[in-house]
Amino acid sequence: MKIIAIYSSKGGVGKTATAVNLAYSSSRSGRRTLLCDMDPQGAAGYYYRIRPKESFNRKQFLKGDLAPFIRGTDFENLDLLPTHFSFRNLDIALDGRGGATSEFKKIFACVKDEYDVLILDCPPNMTLLSENIIMAADLVVTPIIPTTLSILSFAQLIKLADKLEVNRKKLAAFFSMVDRRKNMHSDTIAKFGKKKIFLASEIPSLADVEKMGLYRQPVAVTAPTSAAAIAYEQLWLEVWRKGSQL
Ligand SMILES: Nc1ncnc2c1ncn2[C@@H]1O[C@H](COP(=O)(O)OP(=O)(O)OP(=O)(O)O)[C@@H](O)[C@H]1O
Ligand SMILES: [Mg+2]
C-alpha cells in the first residue's frame, strides 16, 4: 500500500480538492483506494457526502481501530475514513503518548492489506501531527499557489523533512490554482518550476473545481471532459509514477 499525503502548512491552497480528485482517479485506475480525512474541518467527507459515525473519535484512530469506521463511497474501489471533531487535538494527543513521529506509520499498517493506495487529506499546520504524516507517507504532495508566501511554506516543508531525516525524494510539489494571466504566477513558475522537486503537472484556477462544493462530487464525475478533470487525471498519473518509483 502506497501512502500519499496531500500536505501543506498553508491553508486554502487546494489540498482537499487535490485529495478528493486524486483519490477518485486512483480508484478509477482499478486500485483499491482509501481516502483518509485527517482534517477536523471534514471537507473531504463533505465532498463525498459522508458523515463520521458518532462512535468514531481520536482515541479509536490512535488505537489503529480504523476498519469499523471506514465507509464506502458511491464509487467502486473507493472508501473513505471520515474525520472527527476530536482530531483537532491529535497533535496534543500524540504528544501525550510520548511525542513519537512513528505513530501514524503503525496506525495505517492496520489497513495495508485492504488497500493499494491511501490518500491523506491533511490539515494546514506544522505540528507533531504533520511530522507523523511526513514519516508515514511514501510521497508527500504539496500544492503551491505560485506566490512568494507559498514558496516560503514549501521551503519550510523541506526544512522539516530534513529535520526528520526523510529522503527529499519523497517530497513533490505542484502549482495549484494557477492563473497564467497573473504576472506573479507566470514569474514564480518560471523561476521555481524547473526545480527537480516540482511535478510537470499543474492545476489551473477553474470554476469547475469551485463547483465541487455545490455538486459534492469529484470533478471528473460532474464534468468528465473539463480542463479540471483532465488536469487532475494528469496530476494523478504523474504522482503515481513518482510514488511507485520510491
Ligand atoms: N484549482 C482550483 N480552482 C479554483 N478554485 C479552487 C481550486 N482548488 C481549490 N479551489 C477552491 O479554493 C478553496 C480552498 O480549496 P481547498 O479546500 O481544496 O484548500 P485546502 O488547502 O484543503 O484548504 P484548508 O487548508 O482549509 O484545508 C475552496 O473553496 C476550493 O473550492
Ligand atoms: Mg482542506
Side-chain angles (χ1 to χ4, degrees):
M1 181 180 78
K2 287 284 178 193
I3 303 182
I4 299 171
I6 315 298
Y7 168 80
S8 168
S9 58
K10 252 183 100 54
V13 295
K15 295 182 293 297
T16 301
T18 303
V20 163
N21 287 300
L22 293 195
Y24 180 74
S25 285
S26 168
S27 69
R28 290 279 295 166
S29 71
R31 295 181 180 91
R32 297 167 302 162
T33 305
L34 176 64
L35 173 58
C36 259
D37 190 352
M38 299 307 307
D39 186 345
Q41 294 180 96
Y46 177 84
Y47 281 128
Y48 279 106
R49 306 168 188 233
I50 288 175
R51 282 167 173 267
K53 282 188 184 168
E54 275 311 312
S55 47
F56 184 50
N57 58 35
R58 190 181 67 217
K59 268 195 190 147
Q60 312 290 343
F61 175 80
L62 288 172
K63 272 198 271 174
D65 192 12
L66 310 185
F69 305 105
I70 291 173
R71 313 279 302 272
T73 67
D74 293 340
F75 307 104
E76 206 180 332
N77 291 324
L78 181 55
D79 291 344
L80 187 138
L81 180 71
T83 187
H84 187 266
F85 189 58
S86 58
F87 278 27
R88 71 195 188 287
N89 293 328
L90 255 180
D91 52 332
I92 298 170
L94 284 164
D95 201 35
R97 288 161 67 98
T101 54
S102 53
E103 294 279 324
F104 274 27
K105 217 179 174 109
K106 286 185 231 155
I107 292 167
F108 293 130
C110 304
V111 291
K112 75 174 178 357
D113 296 330
E114 268 69 55
Y115 296 98
D116 304 310
V117 181
L118 172 61
I119 295 188
L120 301 173
D121 181 27
C122 305
N125 58 30
M126 198 185 269
T127 61
L128 187 53
L129 170 69
S130 329
E131 295 186 15
N132 266 272
I133 285 167
I134 293 166
M135 292 299 283
D138 295 294
L139 186 66
V140 180
V141 178
T142 188
I144 299 201
I145 301 175
T147 60
T148 321
L149 271 187
S150 288
I151 294 285
L152 190 67
S153 75
F154 186 53
Q156 286 162 352
L157 169 61
I158 292 178
K159 196 168 163 190
L160 184 60
D162 286 352
K163 183 204 138 206
L164 294 169
E165 296 179 354
V166 303
N167 191 337
R168 280 190 188 186
K169 277 193 183 150
K170 78 175 198 179
L171 307 180
F174 72 93
F175 288 111
S176 170
M177 295 195 214
V178 174
D179 183 348
R180 291 261 179 189
R181 291 167 306 181
K182 293 182 178 163
N183 286 340
M184 180 179 260
H185 282 208
S186 303
D187 294 350
T188 309
I189 293 171
K191 188 166 172 198
F192 296 97
K194 286 201 186 69
K195 286 189 186 290
K196 233 179 161 184
I197 220 154
F198 275 88
L199 301 171
S201 313
E202 58 183 57
I203 303 293
S205 175
L206 291 164
D208 278 329
V209 182
E210 281 179 274
K211 283 190 205 151
M212 278 171 55
L214 214 56
Y215 299 126
R216 298 179 69 183
Q217 284 188 319
V219 73
V221 175
T222 48
T225 56
S226 64
I230 293 165
Y232 280 118
E233 179 64 17
Q234 287 295 324
L235 178 63
W236 164 249
L237 293 174
E238 202 180 356
V239 163
W240 180 251
R241 212 177 309 126
K242 176 146 186 164
S244 44
Q245 282 164 2
L246 295 169

